[in-house]
Amino acid sequence: MTATISPVSRTAGDRAASDHLLDNITALRRGQTALAGRLPAMPEGPFVFGRDGYLTVRAERRWLDGCSVPLAAARRMLKDACVTGTTACLALATHGAHVRAAMERLSATQALIVIVEEERCLTTMLCCDDFSGEIGDERLFFAVGADWAEELERILADRTGLPTPTQFLRLPVTEEADLQAAVAVAQPIFERENLRRADRLASRRNRPRVGGSGRICVHAPSHFRLWNDGGHMLRTVAAEAFGDRMVHCDPDRPTRASAPALADAAEGCDAILALNLGRDSAPAVADLSVAWITYSTQGRIPAPVAGAGRDRLILADPDWAGAARAAGWVEGTVAVGGLPAVTTAAAPGDGAVAIIADVMNLDPPADVVELSSQRLLWEAIAGELMDDPFALPADTGRFLNQRMAKLGVSAESVDVSRWIGGLVVPAYQIGLARWLVGAQVPLAIYGKGWEGRGEWAACARGAIEGREALAAAVAGSAAVVHAWPTWTNHPVATCGRLAIGATHRNADSFLRQAIEAMKRGSGGLNGKFPTFSAELLVSVVE
């Protein structure tokens, strides 16, 4: 039975529900055609706006799911959810608010598969919200009804570019026994699909390669990432270098993020040019006769693979050459290509020094809160660095170990990279900002996470959402703070403004840099860096 939409709506809620259902069904017809064709008609409702403004159903004085604030409740249920892989699975959702809150926990490069036990329930969910954008972008899929397991298997089999889910998002309102039963059905489906994809890659790899096409597969993400936009630069420069011989595989599209997706894109290509991805991490993707060139912008050095004599490595930082040699790369296989640069020819701005960085929430995570010793350590480090960022040495790992030992916290109980990225770095950045304000240095702060802090009301300039916004922020500044604990070859040093940093952990030196920056307003402290160019790519690839 095909979902139908009544032309007559009684209330504003009913009209909104009708519009949502129409848009969602239209989007589903392009991606999950069979599902769109069998959904039941729009339910009676009545659809009303809940006390939190989210569309829901209230019939005979009863709210759908017994909740008058469905979105607020769903957000609270999923507030600690952290999706680390490309694809997640939301099991046994019963309200559109559950899907919306789950999607809010995902980035634009992640996808969600929702398991719904009844088709009529899904129709109601599709009335409550407009998911057509996420459905159309292939970021949202539904496995529905008594045969939801078959639908789940079909979603993955038809989209080998979509990585299989690596985690389930759990709703506290779902009975644990029901959830475990769903997981027990879904996990073997994921395992079978992974084996099927591995077999397909193996059979493809064993086929003889026909060379000489001249085509280059460029594996580079397309979405903007603040100070980490190497994918855009790699794709742009590769297009200049290779023209219509370039084939782009975009891992930021969830349905193009798996190893089989890269293998499909690289079919018939003579070389793969990948950002921060080496052959060692995806050995089954391409035959050894296909050249694999890794452009490393984050310091990870892939291990060379025996028999892959055409493979090459491009380093963003010349200081990484020693690590490349230690990893086994030999002379003639490594080039230095420089960093993705943010450049501006505009004259310096109004004399303000800028911090351009997204800062994370410093509230301790739930698992840290549960352990009193770890919570005490977390709060002590946050307080220390926000008060005195110059107390942080260049060796952040050693700093963390010393603080753990002081409070008797076992090193084995702490995820060091998580604590450094989620605590040490943002606390250091906040400390630098506080120090500059206290020293009465004109300061402009760009990035996410600052606007919620009242102390930055006069400084915060909002988030940097794209490349043009970043270029504008740089152009409007006299200097940019290198707001990371370790002075490395960072794009901030190539942005066309003086890059100042607390590299010597000395407040007086930092203040002198800031004063000089406001006077000069251009240049860089790290000297000249190599330029990433089309000529370089051609020389390395060909």
Side-chain angles (χ1 to χ4, degrees), residues 379-389 391-392 399 403 406 427:
E379 293 174 346
I381 291 174
E384 178 182 6
L385 294 181
M386 286 193 292
D387 288 342
D388 182 14
L392 181 65
F399 168 84
R403 282 6 182 222
K406 185 177 180 180

Side-chain angles (χ1 to χ4, degrees), residues 161-463:
L162 180 70
T164 55
T166 53
Q167 70 188 99
F168 283 86
L169 299 183
R170 299 169 182 260
L171 295 165
V173 293
T174 304
E175 293 289 339
E176 184 64 21
D178 293 338
L179 179 62
Q180 292 303 324
V183 171
V185 172
Q187 287 287 15
I189 294 174
F190 303 156
E191 293 167 6
R192 287 196 299 271
E193 180 60 25
N194 286 334
L195 287 173
R196 190 184 71 82
R197 294 179 182 186
D199 290 343
R200 181 167 175 257
L201 282 174
S203 63
R204 178 201 295 269
R205 189 183 180 195
N206 292 331
R207 293 202 303 263
R209 184 181 71 89
V210 179
S213 69
R215 291 194 298 154
I216 311 296
C217 178
V218 177
H219 186 260
S222 60
H223 286 218
F224 170 76
R225 291 168 174 81
L226 184 58
W227 298 123
N228 185 22
D229 205 19
H232 173 71
M233 188 187 73
L234 181 59
R235 189 175 70 256
T236 301
V237 175
E240 179 185 347
F242 308 115
D244 58 9
R245 291 187 293 148
M246 186 192 84
V247 177
H248 180 215
C249 180
D250 182 5
D252 274 347
R253 291 183 60 188
T255 52
R256 300 292 184 272
S258 71
L262 177 54
D264 287 342
E267 180 79 15
C269 291
D270 289 337
I272 295 173
L273 179 58
L275 179 73
N276 297 317
L277 179 69
R279 188 191 293 272
D280 60 333
S281 297
V285 164
D287 186 80
L288 294 177
S289 62
V290 177
W292 191 303
I293 300 94
T294 302
Y295 174 38
S296 175
T297 65
Q298 297 177 336
R300 179 193 176 273
I301 306 298
V305 174
R310 299 178 63 214
D311 286 7
R312 298 292 184 268
L313 177 64
I314 303 175
L315 302 175
D317 190 333
D319 290 343
W320 299 340
R325 288 192 297 271
W329 291 90
V330 299
E331 186 175 352
T333 62
V334 180
V336 178
L339 282 166
V342 179
T343 58
T344 176
D350 59 7
V353 170
I355 290 179
I356 305 177
D358 293 335
V359 65
M360 297 181 65
N361 188 333
L362 284 179
D363 293 339
D367 59 328
V368 171
V369 171
E370 292 172 359
L371 301 173
S372 58
S373 60
Q374 287 197 10
R375 178 173 184 172
L376 183 61
L377 174 65
W378 184 285
E379 293 174 346
I381 291 174
E384 178 182 6
L385 294 181
M386 286 193 292
D387 288 342
D388 182 14
F390 305 100
L392 181 65
D395 189 342
T396 53
R398 181 184 177 190
F399 168 84
L400 184 57
N401 285 331
Q402 289 174 339
R403 282 6 182 222
M404 286 190 290
K406 185 177 180 180
L407 291 180
V409 175
S410 168
E412 290 75 19
S413 67
V414 169
D415 182 341
V416 173
S417 61
R418 177 192 184 196
W419 279 59
I420 290 176
L423 169 62
V424 173
V425 171
Y428 173 78
Q429 293 170 334
I430 291 170
L432 287 180
R434 283 183 174 175
W435 191 91
L436 286 166
V437 170
Q440 298 185 332
V441 174
L443 179 65
I445 301 177
Y446 299 87
K448 298 175 184 176
W450 300 91
E451 63 280 353
R453 296 175 176 270
E455 62 185 305
W456 313 121
C459 305
R461 301 290 187 268

Side-chain angles (χ1 to χ4, degrees), residues 104-125:
E104 290 176 350
R105 305 303 301 173
L106 272 60
S107 73
T109 66
Q110 294 174 309
L112 183 70
I113 300 176
V114 183
I115 297 173
V116 184
E117 287 189 310
E118 298 180 4
E119 292 170 350
R120 181 166 293 278
C121 179
L122 177 60
T123 302
T124 302
M125 292 164 65

Side-chain angles (χ1 to χ4, degrees), residues 6-19:
S6 170
V8 179
S9 297
R10 297 184 300 275
T11 67
D14 288 332
R15 290 192 295 273
S18 176
D19 291 343

